Amino acid sequence: MATTHAHNITQILAKHPEFSTFNHYLTVTHLASEINRRRTITVCAVDNAAMNELLDKHFSTYTIKNVLSLHIFADYFGAKKLHQIPKSSTTTSSLFQATGEAAGTSGYVNITNSKGGKVYFSPVDSEDTPTSTFVKSINEIPYVIAVIQISHVLLSPEAEAPAGGPKDLNVTSLMAKQGCKAFSDLLISSGAADTFSQSLEGGLTVFCPTDETIDNFMPKYKNLTSDGKISLLLYHGVPVYQSLGMLRSSNGLMNTLATEGANKYDFTVQNDGEDVKLKTKIVTATIKGTLIDEDPLAVFKIDKILLPRELFKAAPPAPAPKSPKSAKSKAKSDDGEDADAPAPDGDSVPADETTDSNAAAGIHGGWFVKGIFSLFLGVFVCNI
């Protein structure tokens, strides 16, 4: 049986104080959770002195995240593999490339094994002479995770490009441009968009149903009260930033923007293989795509409307299949036998009371006609 290895980059680096600043920013940028959920990965750590040089540039947190993403490779490069690179050079994809943040090939990193045993690292789009070299191995789980030290921070024009902060983001506009216009329009028309915008600075995660899903749901939506409509829309927002990796690693109940006092308006996050599912008491939705995943905002596309139990009732369970005994009883009744046996209970209820009274009238009317006919027959016989 294959053994699976769980790793925690925060704990690994915590044993080495010289990497405390690098470790801190992996946590602040939420890259740590992304590293922990992945398998077959390499982390190129830099010491506190090298991190101070990066911080002296006064980059925003979002830019720092992009830069540090260059230091995380989607492949395993332990010390032994670095010194045995075929043809002395290779190119590997970084997390900056894998997350779609980098344009073109700018998220790739060249690794060169030079004469004398030195291994150099350089982003593909960097115009500078490679200066960052392999220093030592910090921790390795063969072919799962390699944490190594490199001498200098890896920089590239694309990673250093200014990244907008939360005030530059327009949630409804972003959704409207990427396949969630119907949901965006509902947020604006109901006034719920203001709550989403106010929550953005402290962190926000939005689960956005597709336009087709919204269109099919509109008849039910129109039957809700104004307060019900707002609660339903707020139910699709979570007042904290949750990346896809964080959702995968933090299964369980999650409160929403609609949560207030006794009105729980919560749902459960649950993994299903690589899929992330959101389960209410009424329906289960699946995350189908990512519109944006950049702290403090994450917007994910889902395939169903999240229906809270506070507003909707679960569909009644399907009736249990009839037992052979019941089927046998029905067969006998159809043949004229055991006709007086009671009918099985059912859920159907008469629409009104007129059915029973009409039946009774029919019975009494029949007896009345028979009586008149008998009287007429008696008089006829006597006259003969």
Side-chain angles (χ1 to χ4, degrees):
M1 180 181 295
T3 303
T4 57
H5 296 276
H7 52 262
N8 186 306
I9 188 62
T10 305
Q11 293 178 3
I12 291 172
L13 292 176
K15 300 175 183 178
H16 306 273
E18 65 270 29
F19 304 110
S20 60
T21 305
F22 182 82
N23 197 14
H24 169 74
Y25 277 94
L26 288 183
T27 301
V28 168
T29 58
H30 302 290
L31 287 172
S33 60
E34 190 68 20
I35 293 169
N36 292 341
R37 81 169 186 85
R38 290 176 175 261
R39 297 296 177 268
T40 312
I41 197 164
T42 299
V43 179
C44 300
V46 294
D47 62 20
N48 295 339
M51 278 298 296
N52 287 338
E53 292 180 10
L54 174 64
L55 298 178
D56 285 343
K57 296 178 181 290
H58 303 291
F59 289 143
S60 68
T61 302
Y62 314 104
T63 299
I64 290 174
K65 179 179 180 179
N66 288 341
V67 171
L68 295 187
S69 295
L70 278 171
H71 295 69
I72 304 165
F73 304 156
D75 198 356
Y76 177 83
F77 287 96
K80 183 177 180 180
K81 184 176 179 179
L82 287 173
H83 291 289
Q84 295 178 346
I85 294 175
K87 298 182 181 179
S88 300
S89 182
T90 189
T91 300
T92 189
S93 172
S94 73
L95 202 57
F96 186 42
Q97 173 67 34
T99 56
E101 295 296 332
T105 60
S106 59
Y108 288 91
V109 176
N110 289 325
I111 305 175
T112 305
N113 182 20
S114 299
K115 292 181 179 180
K118 277 198 172 184
V119 179
Y120 289 91
F121 300 84
S122 177
V124 168
D125 64 337
S126 176
E127 297 177 355
D128 298 331
T129 302
T131 58
S132 188
T133 59
F134 170 75
V135 177
K136 66 180 181 181
S137 173
I138 300 171
N139 186 280
E140 295 183 20
I141 300 175
Y143 304 104
V144 176
I145 181 172
V147 184
I148 63 176
Q149 180 185 359
I150 60 176
S151 61
H152 295 82
V153 171
L154 301 176
L155 294 172
S156 81
E158 183 73 18
E160 295 177 72
K167 294 180 180 178
D168 301 320
L169 297 173
N170 185 313
V171 182
T172 53
S173 176
L174 185 145
M175 289 191 292
K177 294 177 181 177
Q178 302 195 48
C180 287
K181 186 178 187 304
F183 185 71
S184 173
D185 290 345
L186 291 179
L187 291 181
I188 295 171
S189 62
S190 68
D194 292 339
T195 303
F196 280 75
S197 297
Q198 292 164 7
S199 303
L200 182 56
E201 190 167 349
L204 177 66
T205 304
V206 182
F207 300 101
C208 174
T210 61
D211 288 350
E212 182 181 1
T213 304
I214 291 289
D215 291 343
N216 293 335
F217 181 74
M218 284 308 294
K220 291 183 180 179
Y221 179 80
K222 291 176 180 178
N223 287 334
L224 294 172
T225 64
S226 296
D227 288 343
K229 290 175 181 176
I230 291 176
S231 294
L232 175 66
L233 296 173
L234 295 180
Y235 190 57
H236 289 72
V238 175
V240 292
Y241 167 75
Q242 294 275 350
S243 68
L244 191 58
M246 294 166 72
L247 289 172
R248 285 194 176 106
S249 61
S250 59
N251 283 192
L253 282 176
M254 186 167 290
N255 288 336
T256 67
L257 292 174
T259 302
E260 184 177 9
N263 296 322
K264 293 185 177 180
Y265 281 99
D266 54 17
F267 57 76
T268 301
V269 179
Q270 184 174 320
N271 292 339
D272 183 9
E274 284 298 308
D275 291 333
V276 177
K277 295 187 178 293
L278 313 176
K279 302 181 71 174
T280 78
K281 296 293 183 181
I282 314 298
V283 70
T284 299
T286 303
I287 293 178
K288 291 296 185 181
T290 303
L291 303 191
I292 183 173
D293 188 353
E294 185 74 32
D295 189 9
L297 175 66
V299 182
F300 302 104
K301 190 178 293 187
I302 57 176
D303 63 350
K304 293 180 182 177
I305 306 288
L306 298 177
L307 304 179
R309 60 183 174 182
E310 288 81 0
L311 295 176
F312 298 89
K313 293 182 180 179
K322 293 181 179 180
S323 65
K325 183 177 180 181
S326 298
K328 184 177 180 182
S329 298
K330 184 178 185 305
K332 286 185 177 181
S333 178
D334 292 341
D335 292 337
E337 300 179 14
D338 296 339
D340 294 332
D345 293 335
D347 294 332
S348 60
V349 178
D352 50 45
E353 296 293 330
T354 59
T355 303
D356 290 340
S357 58
N358 288 343
I363 293 172
H364 293 306
W367 285 109
F368 179 75
V369 172
K370 287 181 180 180
I372 294 297
F373 179 75
S374 297
L375 179 63
F376 174 78
L377 183 62
V379 171
F380 178 74
V381 171
C382 290
N383 288 337
I384 294 176

